[in-house]
Amino acid sequence: MSRYCPGSHSEPILRAAEHWKGTGLFSDGSVFDNGSLWTLANLKELEERYVNQLDPREGNFLAKLESQLESSNPPVKLLAAEMIWVMYLCPSNITVETKKKNIQVIWEWSGELFPENSEWISNEILSGIGSGGPGFLALYWKEFSYFVRVMLAIKGQAERERESVLVDPWVFAEWLQQFEVNEYRQLRHMLLFLLFPDVFERIFGGNHRKDIVQSFRGMTSAEFNGLSRLETDHILFEIRQESETMYETKVLDFYVPPLSSVWREDKRQAFLFSWNPNRWDWPSFAEDRLATRDGQFVVHDWSCNNRDARRGDRAFLVRSGSDPRGIIAIGDIATDPQRASHWEEEKRGEGVEYQFVKVLFTRIQDPTYGDPYLAKSNLDGINVDQQVWFPQSSGIAIKPRTAKLLEQVWGEIVENRKVQPKAQNDKQFTLNTILYGPPGTGKTYHTMSRSVEICDGELTEARRLKERYEELVRQGRIVLITFHQSYGYEEFVEGIRPIEKDEGVVYRVQDGVLKRLVGDIQDDSNYVLIIDEINRANISKVLGELITLLEEDKRESAQNELRIRLPYSGKEFVLPSNLYIVGTMNTADRSIALLDTALRRRFHFEEMPPNAELLKEAGQRCEVDLPNVLQTINERLEYLVDRDHLIGHAWLMKATDRDQLDEIMRRKVIPLIAEYFYDDWSKVRSVLGNNSAFIARSTLSLPPGLDSEFEEDRYQWSVQDTFPPNAYEQLLSDSSD
């Protein structure tokens, strides 16, 4: 149900919306019980005074509204105040104090005392439920004009006709299409949510609606731009229904996992929050820790001094003060920044406020209990941006590179401690493994070797490996698939597919790769599913509810065996304990830090780094110090880019002589380095020694007709057709030309 809003108190807001619906839409009453305000006559006067006489002069919305309504009747001013109250129910990026002040100011233009003790003006009701976005605030006057026109149209209907529109969500949404500016107004989305919160989402910004639909449906921008707002609503509703079936719960929201990870993970910022136990005794800490270990989340208000924090951003919590110190919790920010009276009684008595956000914690660790966490020594190793790990304030921004490393280290230290089952030869293997590293580090070979060893229970000689691997593939005990951007749940698990029959096309449920493999598994053998390029697909979307079944203790016959009912076929499904999943991941495409947290918890990650020592034999064949060459290139790449964008050893191992080595450099290595730098050839040249041995550089002349005073050095770059005999020595040298 779309009324579920973690981190926000939706119940009082939706109760207020119901109150307005009864008093202002179905009747002509008043929200604050002040007689008859929501009348056709008052709305017509408001249209005449405001909509038809828009003030083009400079000035804020309230000042101009006051001028326009100056000579209007008092009830019209009271109606304007209540309409602003409705417009304030959704936005959480306007403070409660500002909302109350503005409503009171407009109300008192009428000469009436403001009902400040009314239950409908409480902090809970005015706290907001989602960001209105900068467009909503900047174009508030247009939103208000739209609201007036919508209300006029509603009140202009006969009672029976009005009721038929207001009781059916899709009829009302279709009815709104008559307004020419309907496609551009955020208030449209707010009204739909307030009136029908079980159907329409609290997604008010157009960009978020676009990102969600494109991510879940694989649409291009052009395809989305061709949709009307009503068509987008229908798609969002379908996505919710599919997700509720997939995850077997209605407690879902697009701004928190698992749905948020489908569309928002890569765009999030990260913030560091602080907790000093010496200053605040966290009463529910033990209980909250246990809840997150059971896969639940807990929500707390947390001081945040950064105004740029937004709902959906990443949150890390550092324990400061006395030891043990370090990062003990992670989660997501559930609201935009808000203000409230200070939590300390003395400061609250002095009228001091503080800024906070609600943080939805997904994992809380207790180092005093022995839980793994990121200690100060771990954090000191993440110094790429000189991050301050124990700040004086809470809610400071973490730079993207540091956040990326932080996610990776958290995953390695906290999330991946698993009991490892044994294969047939008593060697320990996890059921779910991802081999990760930059291109050319032998991930394909190691995947083949690992899969054969799992199936046979013993290592196979290198010369026979490919033959045995292909034999196991023919037997169906090893299955290889490759993920890509459009790969989905339907291909992996099951889905409805068209089948051509004599009578035409019929639609039937067809099994995906995983379900077919599970159906073929025999109890007396091990099976392996290899997922190549596992990070290229939208993994949360592909796995769906199976993300829980992956866990080793949830497998068939395990301690906590879990069976689910599949959404399309309705059949019961469980993952066998003798099915091993081995994935490969090219970190140059996507870092581990950007994978969904829930997925990282369920896989054991094994790094496949470049190994320069393996190049000694190839170096002797080519008469080049290849181990040193690779080490030098990678040190420069790590300095200029990061550890995920290195060059593997596998390509260079294939070189049988100097000519073949040069060809590998020209066709493989140099193009990949250029790709890392987005064709910034000055950096490519720097990695290769900043000389002309590999990359030629010539100065371009100023084109005719341009003023020479603006002349600057510009270069033409090209890869040398042949490399000089001492090219690799020049690469290793610190000198440059």
Coordinates of all heavy atoms in Angstrom, one line a residue, residues 457-531:
G457 N 34.8 -32.4 -6.6 CA 35.4 -32.5 -5.3 C 36.9 -32.6 -5.3 O 37.5 -32.9 -4.3
E458 N 37.5 -32.3 -6.4 CA 39.0 -32.3 -6.5 C 39.4 -31.4 -7.6 O 38.7 -31.1 -8.6 CB 39.5 -33.7 -6.7 CG 39.0 -34.3 -8.0 CD 39.5 -35.7 -8.2 OE1 40.1 -36.3 -7.3 OE2 39.2 -36.3 -9.3
L459 N 40.7 -30.9 -7.6 CA 41.2 -30.1 -8.6 C 41.5 -30.9 -9.9 O 41.8 -32.1 -9.8 CB 42.6 -29.5 -8.1 CG 42.4 -28.3 -7.1 CD1 43.8 -28.0 -6.5 CD2 41.9 -27.1 -7.8
T460 N 41.4 -30.2 -11.0 CA 41.6 -30.9 -12.3 C 42.9 -30.2 -12.9 O 43.1 -29.0 -12.8 CB 40.4 -30.6 -13.2 OG1 39.3 -31.3 -12.7 CG2 40.7 -31.3 -14.6
E461 N 43.7 -31.0 -13.5 CA 44.9 -30.5 -14.1 C 44.6 -29.5 -15.1 O 43.6 -29.5 -15.8 CB 45.7 -31.7 -14.8 CG 46.2 -32.7 -13.9 CD 46.9 -33.8 -14.6 OE1 47.0 -33.7 -15.9 OE2 47.4 -34.8 -14.0
A462 N 45.4 -28.5 -15.2 CA 45.2 -27.3 -16.1 C 44.9 -27.7 -17.5 O 44.1 -27.2 -18.2 CB 46.3 -26.3 -16.0
R463 N 45.7 -28.7 -18.0 CA 45.6 -29.1 -19.4 C 44.3 -29.8 -19.7 O 43.9 -29.9 -20.9 CB 46.8 -30.0 -19.8 CG 46.9 -31.3 -19.0 CD 48.1 -32.1 -19.3 NE 48.2 -33.3 -18.5 CZ 47.7 -34.5 -18.9 NH1 47.0 -34.5 -20.0 NH2 47.8 -35.6 -18.1
R464 N 43.7 -30.4 -18.7 CA 42.4 -31.1 -18.9 C 41.2 -30.3 -18.4 O 40.0 -30.7 -18.5 CB 42.4 -32.4 -18.1 CG 43.3 -33.5 -18.6 CD 42.9 -34.8 -18.0 NE 41.5 -35.2 -18.3 CZ 40.6 -35.3 -17.4 NH1 40.8 -35.0 -16.2 NH2 39.3 -35.7 -17.8
L465 N 41.4 -29.1 -17.9 CA 40.4 -28.3 -17.3 C 39.3 -27.9 -18.2 O 38.1 -28.1 -18.0 CB 40.9 -27.0 -16.7 CG 39.9 -26.1 -16.0 CD1 39.2 -26.7 -14.8 CD2 40.6 -24.8 -15.5
K466 N 39.6 -27.4 -19.4 CA 38.6 -27.0 -20.4 C 37.8 -28.2 -20.8 O 36.5 -28.1 -20.9 CB 39.2 -26.3 -21.5 CG 38.2 -25.6 -22.5 CD 39.0 -24.7 -23.5 CE 38.0 -23.9 -24.3 NZ 37.0 -24.6 -25.0
E467 N 38.4 -29.3 -21.0 CA 37.7 -30.5 -21.5 C 36.7 -31.0 -20.4 O 35.5 -31.3 -20.8 CB 38.7 -31.6 -21.8 CG 38.1 -32.9 -22.2 CD 39.1 -34.0 -22.3 OE1 40.4 -33.7 -22.4 OE2 38.8 -35.2 -22.4
R468 N 37.1 -31.0 -19.2 CA 36.2 -31.4 -18.1 C 35.1 -30.4 -17.9 O 34.0 -30.8 -17.6 CB 37.0 -31.6 -16.8 CG 36.2 -32.0 -15.6 CD 35.4 -33.3 -15.9 NE 34.6 -33.7 -14.7 CZ 33.5 -34.5 -14.8 NH1 33.1 -35.0 -16.0 NH2 32.9 -34.8 -13.7
Y469 N 35.4 -29.2 -18.0 CA 34.4 -28.1 -17.8 C 33.3 -28.3 -18.9 O 32.1 -28.3 -18.5 CB 35.1 -26.7 -17.9 CG 34.1 -25.6 -18.0 CD1 33.5 -25.0 -16.9 CD2 33.7 -25.0 -19.2 CE1 32.6 -24.0 -16.9 CE2 32.8 -24.0 -19.3 CZ 32.3 -23.5 -18.2 OH 31.4 -22.4 -18.2
E470 N 33.7 -28.5 -20.1 CA 32.7 -28.6 -21.2 C 31.9 -29.9 -21.0 O 30.7 -29.9 -21.3 CB 33.4 -28.6 -22.5 CG 34.0 -27.3 -22.9 CD 34.8 -27.3 -24.2 OE1 35.1 -28.4 -24.7 OE2 35.2 -26.2 -24.7
E471 N 32.5 -30.9 -20.5 CA 31.8 -32.1 -20.2 C 30.7 -31.9 -19.2 O 29.5 -32.4 -19.3 CB 32.7 -33.2 -19.8 CG 32.1 -34.6 -19.5 CD 33.1 -35.6 -19.1 OE1 34.3 -35.3 -19.1 OE2 32.7 -36.8 -18.7
L472 N 31.0 -31.2 -18.1 CA 30.0 -30.9 -17.0 C 28.9 -30.0 -17.5 O 27.8 -30.1 -17.1 CB 30.7 -30.3 -15.8 CG 31.6 -31.3 -15.0 CD1 32.5 -30.5 -14.0 CD2 30.8 -32.3 -14.2
V473 N 29.2 -29.1 -18.4 CA 28.2 -28.2 -19.0 C 27.2 -29.1 -19.8 O 26.0 -28.9 -19.7 CB 28.9 -27.2 -19.9 CG1 27.8 -26.4 -20.8 CG2 29.7 -26.2 -19.1
R474 N 27.8 -30.1 -20.6 CA 26.9 -30.9 -21.4 C 26.0 -31.8 -20.5 O 24.8 -32.0 -20.8 CB 27.7 -31.8 -22.3 CG 28.3 -31.1 -23.5 CD 28.9 -32.2 -24.5 NE 29.9 -33.0 -23.9 CZ 31.2 -32.7 -23.9 NH1 31.6 -31.5 -24.5 NH2 32.1 -33.5 -23.4
Q475 N 26.5 -32.1 -19.3 CA 25.7 -32.9 -18.3 C 24.7 -32.0 -17.6 O 23.8 -32.6 -16.9 CB 26.6 -33.6 -17.3 CG 27.5 -34.6 -17.9 CD 28.5 -35.1 -16.9 OE1 28.5 -34.7 -15.7 NE2 29.4 -36.0 -17.3
G476 N 24.7 -30.7 -17.8 CA 23.8 -29.9 -17.1 C 24.2 -29.5 -15.6 O 23.4 -28.9 -14.9
R477 N 25.4 -30.0 -15.2 CA 25.8 -29.7 -13.8 C 26.4 -28.3 -13.7 O 26.5 -27.8 -12.6 CB 26.7 -30.8 -13.3 CG 26.0 -32.1 -13.2 CD 26.9 -33.2 -12.7 NE 27.5 -32.8 -11.4 CZ 28.6 -33.4 -10.8 NH1 29.2 -34.4 -11.5 NH2 29.0 -33.1 -9.7
I478 N 26.9 -27.7 -14.7 CA 27.4 -26.4 -14.8 C 26.5 -25.6 -15.8 O 26.4 -26.0 -17.0 CB 28.9 -26.3 -15.1 CG1 29.7 -26.9 -14.0 CG2 29.3 -24.8 -15.3 CD1 31.2 -26.9 -14.3
V479 N 26.0 -24.5 -15.4 CA 25.2 -23.7 -16.3 C 25.8 -22.3 -16.3 O 26.0 -21.7 -15.2 CB 23.7 -23.6 -15.9 CG1 22.9 -22.6 -16.8 CG2 23.1 -25.0 -16.0
L480 N 26.1 -21.7 -17.5 CA 26.6 -20.4 -17.6 C 25.7 -19.4 -18.2 O 25.1 -19.7 -19.2 CB 27.9 -20.4 -18.4 CG 28.5 -19.1 -18.8 CD1 29.0 -18.3 -17.6 CD2 29.6 -19.3 -19.9
I481 N 25.4 -18.3 -17.5 CA 24.6 -17.2 -18.1 C 25.4 -15.9 -17.9 O 26.3 -15.8 -17.1 CB 23.2 -17.1 -17.4 CG1 23.3 -16.8 -15.9 CG2 22.4 -18.3 -17.7 CD1 22.0 -16.6 -15.3
T482 N 25.0 -14.9 -18.7 CA 25.6 -13.6 -18.6 C 24.5 -12.5 -18.4 O 23.6 -12.5 -19.1 CB 26.4 -13.2 -19.9 OG1 27.4 -14.2 -20.1 CG2 27.1 -11.9 -19.7
F483 N 24.7 -11.8 -17.3 CA 23.7 -10.7 -17.0 C 24.0 -9.5 -17.9 O 25.2 -9.3 -18.3 CB 23.8 -10.3 -15.6 CG 23.0 -11.1 -14.6 CD1 22.3 -12.2 -15.1 CD2 23.0 -10.8 -13.3 CE1 21.5 -13.0 -14.2 CE2 22.2 -11.6 -12.4 CZ 21.5 -12.7 -12.8
H484 N 22.9 -8.8 -18.3 CA 23.1 -7.5 -19.0 C 22.0 -6.6 -18.6 O 21.1 -7.0 -17.7 CB 23.0 -7.8 -20.5 CG 21.8 -8.6 -21.0 ND1 20.6 -8.1 -21.1 CD2 21.7 -10.0 -21.2 CE1 19.7 -9.1 -21.4 NE2 20.4 -10.2 -21.6
Q485 N 22.0 -5.4 -19.1 CA 21.1 -4.3 -18.5 C 19.6 -4.7 -18.6 O 18.8 -4.3 -17.8 CB 21.3 -3.0 -19.3 CG 22.7 -2.4 -18.9 CD 23.8 -2.8 -19.8 OE1 23.7 -3.9 -20.4 NE2 24.8 -2.0 -20.0
S486 N 19.2 -5.4 -19.7 CA 17.8 -5.7 -19.8 C 17.4 -7.1 -19.3 O 16.3 -7.5 -19.4 CB 17.4 -5.6 -21.3 OG 18.2 -6.5 -22.1
Y487 N 18.3 -7.8 -18.6 CA 18.0 -9.1 -18.1 C 17.1 -8.9 -16.9 O 17.3 -8.0 -16.0 CB 19.3 -9.8 -17.6 CG 19.2 -11.3 -17.5 CD1 19.6 -12.1 -18.6 CD2 18.8 -11.9 -16.4 CE1 19.5 -13.5 -18.5 CE2 18.7 -13.3 -16.3 CZ 19.1 -14.1 -17.4 OH 19.0 -15.4 -17.3
G488 N 16.1 -9.7 -16.8 CA 15.0 -9.5 -15.8 C 14.6 -10.8 -15.0 O 15.1 -11.9 -15.3
Y489 N 13.7 -10.6 -14.1 CA 13.2 -11.7 -13.3 C 12.6 -12.8 -14.2 O 12.7 -14.0 -13.9 CB 12.2 -11.1 -12.3 CG 11.5 -12.1 -11.4 CD1 12.1 -12.4 -10.1 CD2 10.3 -12.8 -11.7 CE1 11.5 -13.3 -9.3 CE2 9.7 -13.7 -10.9 CZ 10.3 -13.9 -9.6 OH 9.7 -14.8 -8.8
E490 N 12.0 -12.4 -15.2 CA 11.3 -13.3 -16.1 C 12.2 -14.3 -16.8 O 12.0 -15.5 -16.9 CB 10.5 -12.6 -17.2 CG 9.3 -11.8 -16.7 CD 9.7 -10.5 -16.0 OE1 10.8 -10.2 -16.0 OE2 8.8 -9.9 -15.3
E491 N 13.4 -13.8 -17.2 CA 14.4 -14.7 -17.8 C 15.1 -15.6 -16.7 O 15.5 -16.7 -17.0 CB 15.5 -13.9 -18.5 CG 15.0 -13.2 -19.8 CD 14.4 -11.8 -19.5 OE1 14.4 -11.4 -18.3 OE2 13.8 -11.2 -20.4
F492 N 15.3 -15.0 -15.5 CA 16.0 -15.7 -14.5 C 15.2 -16.8 -13.7 O 15.6 -17.9 -13.4 CB 16.6 -14.7 -13.5 CG 17.7 -15.3 -12.6 CD1 18.8 -15.9 -13.1 CD2 17.5 -15.3 -11.2 CE1 19.8 -16.4 -12.3 CE2 18.5 -15.8 -10.4 CZ 19.6 -16.4 -10.9
V493 N 14.0 -16.4 -13.3 CA 13.1 -17.2 -12.5 C 11.9 -17.8 -13.3 O 11.9 -19.0 -13.6 CB 12.6 -16.5 -11.2 CG1 11.9 -17.5 -10.3 CG2 13.8 -15.9 -10.5
E494 N 11.0 -16.9 -13.6 CA 9.8 -17.3 -14.4 C 9.1 -16.1 -14.8 O 9.2 -15.0 -14.2 CB 8.9 -18.2 -13.6 CG 8.2 -17.5 -12.4 CD 7.1 -18.4 -11.8 OE1 7.1 -19.6 -12.0 OE2 6.3 -17.9 -11.0
G495 N 8.3 -16.2 -15.9 CA 7.6 -15.1 -16.4 C 6.6 -15.5 -17.4 O 6.6 -16.7 -17.9
I496 N 5.7 -14.6 -17.8 CA 4.7 -14.9 -18.8 C 5.2 -14.6 -20.2 O 5.7 -13.5 -20.4 CB 3.4 -14.1 -18.5 CG1 2.8 -14.6 -17.2 CG2 2.4 -14.4 -19.6 CD1 1.6 -13.8 -16.8
R497 N 5.2 -15.6 -21.1 CA 5.8 -15.4 -22.4 C 4.7 -15.8 -23.5 O 3.9 -16.7 -23.3 CB 7.0 -16.3 -22.6 CG 8.2 -15.9 -21.7 CD 8.9 -14.7 -22.3 NE 10.1 -14.4 -21.6 CZ 10.2 -13.2 -21.0 NH1 9.3 -12.3 -21.0 NH2 11.4 -13.0 -20.4
P498 N 4.8 -15.1 -24.6 CA 3.9 -15.5 -25.8 C 4.4 -16.7 -26.5 O 5.6 -16.9 -26.7 CB 3.9 -14.2 -26.7 CG 5.3 -13.6 -26.4 CD 5.6 -13.9 -24.9
I499 N 3.5 -17.6 -26.8 CA 3.8 -18.8 -27.5 C 2.9 -18.9 -28.8 O 1.6 -18.8 -28.6 CB 3.6 -20.1 -26.7 CG1 4.5 -20.0 -25.4 CG2 3.9 -21.3 -27.4 CD1 4.3 -21.1 -24.4
E500 N 3.4 -19.1 -29.9 CA 2.7 -19.2 -31.2 C 2.0 -20.6 -31.3 O 2.7 -21.6 -31.2 CB 3.5 -18.9 -32.4 CG 4.0 -17.5 -32.5 CD 4.7 -17.2 -33.8 OE1 4.7 -18.1 -34.7 OE2 5.2 -16.1 -33.9
K501 N 0.7 -20.6 -31.4 CA 0.0 -21.8 -31.7 C -0.8 -21.7 -33.0 O -0.9 -20.6 -33.5 CB -1.0 -22.1 -30.5 CG -0.3 -22.4 -29.2 CD 0.4 -23.7 -29.2 CE 1.0 -24.1 -27.8 NZ 1.6 -25.4 -27.8
D502 N -1.4 -22.8 -33.4 CA -2.2 -22.8 -34.6 C -3.3 -21.7 -34.5 O -3.7 -21.1 -35.5 CB -2.8 -24.1 -34.9 CG -1.7 -25.2 -35.2 OD1 -0.6 -24.7 -35.6 OD2 -1.9 -26.4 -35.1
E503 N -3.9 -21.6 -33.3 CA -5.0 -20.7 -33.1 C -4.6 -19.3 -32.9 O -5.4 -18.4 -32.7 CB -5.9 -21.2 -32.0 CG -5.2 -21.2 -30.6 CD -4.5 -22.5 -30.3 OE1 -4.2 -23.3 -31.3 OE2 -4.2 -22.8 -29.2
G504 N -3.2 -19.1 -32.9 CA -2.7 -17.7 -32.6 C -1.7 -17.7 -31.5 O -1.1 -18.7 -31.2
V505 N -1.6 -16.6 -30.9 CA -0.6 -16.4 -29.8 C -1.3 -16.6 -28.5 O -2.3 -16.0 -28.2 CB 0.1 -15.0 -29.9 CG1 1.0 -14.8 -28.7 CG2 0.8 -14.8 -31.2
V506 N -0.7 -17.5 -27.6 CA -1.2 -17.7 -26.3 C -0.1 -17.3 -25.3 O 1.1 -17.4 -25.6 CB -1.7 -19.1 -26.0 CG1 -2.8 -19.5 -26.9 CG2 -0.5 -20.1 -26.2
Y507 N -0.5 -17.0 -24.1 CA 0.5 -16.6 -23.1 C 0.5 -17.6 -22.0 O -0.5 -17.9 -21.4 CB 0.1 -15.2 -22.5 CG 0.3 -14.1 -23.6 CD1 -0.7 -13.8 -24.5 CD2 1.5 -13.4 -23.7 CE1 -0.6 -12.8 -25.4 CE2 1.6 -12.4 -24.6 CZ 0.6 -12.1 -25.5 OH 0.8 -11.1 -26.4
R508 N 1.7 -18.0 -21.7 CA 1.9 -19.1 -20.6 C 3.1 -18.7 -19.8 O 4.0 -18.0 -20.2 CB 2.1 -20.4 -21.3 CG 0.9 -21.0 -22.0 CD 1.1 -22.3 -22.6 NE -0.1 -22.9 -23.2 CZ -0.1 -24.0 -24.0 NH1 1.0 -24.6 -24.1 NH2 -1.2 -24.4 -24.6
V509 N 3.0 -19.3 -18.5 CA 4.2 -19.1 -17.6 C 5.3 -20.0 -18.1 O 5.1 -21.2 -18.3 CB 3.8 -19.5 -16.2 CG1 5.0 -19.4 -15.3 CG2 2.7 -18.5 -15.7
Q510 N 6.5 -19.4 -18.3 CA 7.6 -20.2 -18.7 C 8.7 -20.1 -17.6 O 8.9 -19.0 -17.0 CB 8.2 -19.7 -20.0 CG 7.3 -20.2 -21.2 CD 8.0 -20.0 -22.5 OE1 8.9 -19.2 -22.6 NE2 7.5 -20.7 -23.6
D511 N 9.4 -21.2 -17.4 CA 10.5 -21.2 -16.4 C 11.7 -20.4 -16.9 O 12.1 -20.5 -18.1 CB 10.9 -22.6 -16.0 CG 9.8 -23.4 -15.3 OD1 8.8 -22.7 -14.9 OD2 9.8 -24.6 -15.3
G512 N 12.4 -19.7 -16.0 CA 13.7 -19.1 -16.3 C 14.8 -20.0 -16.1 O 14.6 -21.2 -15.7
V513 N 16.0 -19.5 -16.3 CA 17.2 -20.3 -16.2 C 17.4 -21.0 -14.8 O 17.6 -22.2 -14.7 CB 18.5 -19.5 -16.5 CG1 19.8 -20.3 -16.2 CG2 18.5 -19.0 -17.9
L514 N 17.2 -20.2 -13.8 CA 17.4 -20.8 -12.4 C 16.3 -21.9 -12.1 O 16.7 -22.9 -11.6 CB 17.3 -19.7 -11.4 CG 17.4 -20.1 -9.9 CD1 18.8 -20.7 -9.7 CD2 17.1 -19.0 -9.0
K515 N 15.1 -21.6 -12.4 CA 14.0 -22.5 -12.1 C 14.2 -23.9 -12.9 O 14.0 -24.9 -12.3 CB 12.7 -21.9 -12.4 CG 11.5 -22.7 -11.8 CD 10.2 -22.0 -12.1 CE 9.0 -22.9 -11.7 NZ 7.7 -22.3 -12.0
R516 N 14.6 -23.8 -14.1 CA 14.9 -25.0 -14.9 C 16.0 -25.8 -14.3 O 16.0 -27.0 -14.2 CB 15.2 -24.6 -16.3 CG 14.0 -24.1 -17.1 CD 14.3 -24.2 -18.6 NE 15.4 -23.3 -19.0 CZ 15.4 -22.1 -19.4 NH1 14.2 -21.4 -19.4 NH2 16.4 -21.4 -19.7
L517 N 17.1 -25.1 -13.9 CA 18.2 -25.8 -13.3 C 17.8 -26.4 -12.0 O 18.2 -27.6 -11.7 CB 19.4 -24.8 -13.0 CG 20.6 -25.3 -12.3 CD1 21.2 -26.5 -13.0 CD2 21.6 -24.2 -12.1
V518 N 17.1 -25.8 -11.1 CA 16.7 -26.3 -9.9 C 15.8 -27.6 -10.1 O 15.9 -28.6 -9.4 CB 15.9 -25.3 -9.0 CG1 15.2 -26.0 -7.8 CG2 16.8 -24.2 -8.6
G519 N 15.0 -27.6 -11.1 CA 14.2 -28.7 -11.5 C 15.0 -29.9 -11.9 O 14.5 -31.1 -11.8
D520 N 16.2 -29.7 -12.4 CA 17.1 -30.8 -12.9 C 18.0 -31.3 -11.8 O 18.7 -32.4 -12.1 CB 17.9 -30.3 -14.1 CG 17.0 -30.0 -15.3 OD1 15.9 -30.6 -15.4 OD2 17.5 -29.2 -16.2
I521 N 18.1 -30.7 -10.7 CA 19.1 -31.0 -9.7 C 18.8 -32.4 -9.0 O 17.7 -32.6 -8.6 CB 19.3 -29.9 -8.7 CG1 20.0 -28.7 -9.3 CG2 20.0 -30.4 -7.4 CD1 20.2 -27.6 -8.4
Q522 N 19.8 -33.2 -8.9 CA 19.7 -34.5 -8.2 C 20.5 -34.3 -6.9 O 21.4 -33.6 -6.7 CB 20.4 -35.6 -9.0 CG 19.9 -35.8 -10.4 CD 18.4 -36.2 -10.4 OE1 18.0 -37.0 -9.6 NE2 17.6 -35.6 -11.3
D523 N 20.0 -35.0 -5.8 CA 20.5 -34.8 -4.5 C 22.0 -35.3 -4.3 O 22.6 -34.8 -3.4 CB 19.6 -35.5 -3.5 CG 18.3 -34.9 -3.4 OD1 18.2 -33.7 -3.7 OD2 17.3 -35.5 -2.9
D524 N 22.4 -36.2 -5.2 CA 23.7 -36.8 -4.9 C 24.9 -36.1 -5.6 O 26.0 -36.5 -5.6 CB 23.7 -38.3 -5.3 CG 23.3 -38.4 -6.8 OD1 22.9 -37.4 -7.4 OD2 23.5 -39.5 -7.3
S525 N 24.7 -34.9 -6.2 CA 25.7 -34.2 -6.9 C 25.7 -32.7 -6.6 O 24.6 -32.2 -6.2 CB 25.6 -34.4 -8.4 OG 25.6 -35.8 -8.8
N526 N 26.8 -32.1 -6.8 CA 26.8 -30.6 -6.7 C 26.6 -30.0 -8.1 O 27.1 -30.5 -9.1 CB 28.2 -30.1 -6.1 CG 28.3 -30.4 -4.7 OD1 27.3 -30.6 -4.0 ND2 29.5 -30.3 -4.1
Y527 N 25.9 -28.9 -8.1 CA 25.7 -28.1 -9.3 C 26.2 -26.7 -9.2 O 26.2 -26.2 -8.0 CB 24.2 -28.1 -9.6 CG 23.6 -29.5 -10.1 CD1 23.5 -30.5 -9.2 CD2 23.3 -29.7 -11.4 CE1 23.0 -31.7 -9.5 CE2 22.7 -30.9 -11.8 CZ 22.6 -31.9 -10.9 OH 22.1 -33.1 -11.3
V528 N 26.5 -26.1 -10.3 CA 27.0 -24.7 -10.3 C 26.3 -23.9 -11.3 O 26.2 -24.3 -12.5 CB 28.5 -24.7 -10.5 CG1 29.1 -23.2 -10.5 CG2 29.3 -25.5 -9.5
L529 N 25.8 -22.7 -10.8 CA 25.3 -21.7 -11.8 C 26.3 -20.6 -11.8 O 26.6 -19.9 -10.8 CB 23.9 -21.2 -11.3 CG 23.4 -20.0 -12.1 CD1 23.1 -20.4 -13.5 CD2 22.1 -19.5 -11.5
I530 N 26.9 -20.3 -13.0 CA 27.9 -19.2 -13.2 C 27.1 -18.0 -13.7 O 26.5 -18.2 -14.8 CB 29.0 -19.7 -14.1 CG1 29.7 -20.9 -13.6 CG2 30.0 -18.5 -14.3 CD1 30.8 -21.4 -14.5
I531 N 27.2 -16.9 -13.1 CA 26.6 -15.7 -13.5 C 27.7 -14.7 -13.9 O 28.3 -14.1 -13.0 CB 25.7 -15.1 -12.5 CG1 24.6 -16.1 -12.0 CG2 25.0 -13.8 -13.1 CD1 23.7 -15.5 -10.9

